[in-house]
């Protein structure tokens, strides 16, 4: 019998029992890492976002907005 998990559940299953050091290592290894790691970071971002109140969400959006103002996007390949 095979078990089918959606992406969110697969990511949560993978990191569920990790301690804080293991989570940090996984996050740091994913940042600027292979694009295959981005969905996992997105799932964890979603978990954090849902747990924030509106003020915290506003602060995070402001931080992301400020970061985006300070970078120049690279050219899209295609």
């Amino acid at each position: 019998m095979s078990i089918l998990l959606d992406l969110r559940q697969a990511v949560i299953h993978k990191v569920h029992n990790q301690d804080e050091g293991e989570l940090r290592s996984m996050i740091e290894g994913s940042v600027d890492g292979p694009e295959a790691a981005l969905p996992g970071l997105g799932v964890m971002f979603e978990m954090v976002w849902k747990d924030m109140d509106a003020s915290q969400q506003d602060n995070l959006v402001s931080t992301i907005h400020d970061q985006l103002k300070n970078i120049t996007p690279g050219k899209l390949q295609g």
Side-chain angles (χ1 to χ4, degrees):
M1 178 172 100
S2 70
I3 298 174
L4 298 176
L5 297 175
D6 66 26
L7 179 60
R8 285 178 179 90
Q9 289 302 313
V11 170
I12 291 167
H13 180 73
K14 181 176 180 178
V15 300
H16 186 260
N17 290 318
Q18 292 185 355
D19 63 30
E20 289 182 12
E22 291 169 320
L23 285 172
R24 175 179 284 277
S25 179
M26 189 275 299
I27 292 167
E28 289 176 346
S30 298
V31 172
D32 291 328
E35 288 190 6
L38 294 177
L41 291 175
V43 170
M44 288 191 288
F45 177 88
E46 180 182 65
M47 290 173 20
V48 170
W49 180 265
K50 287 178 170 182
D51 196 45
M52 292 178 160
D53 63 32
S55 175
Q56 292 171 313
Q57 289 175 343
D58 289 345
N59 287 335
L60 182 55
V61 168
S62 180
T63 298
I64 292 170
H65 183 258
D66 289 345
Q67 291 295 314
L68 288 170
K69 289 191 296 188
N70 295 322
I71 64 170
T72 302
K75 293 185 183 233
L76 296 176
Q77 297 184 14

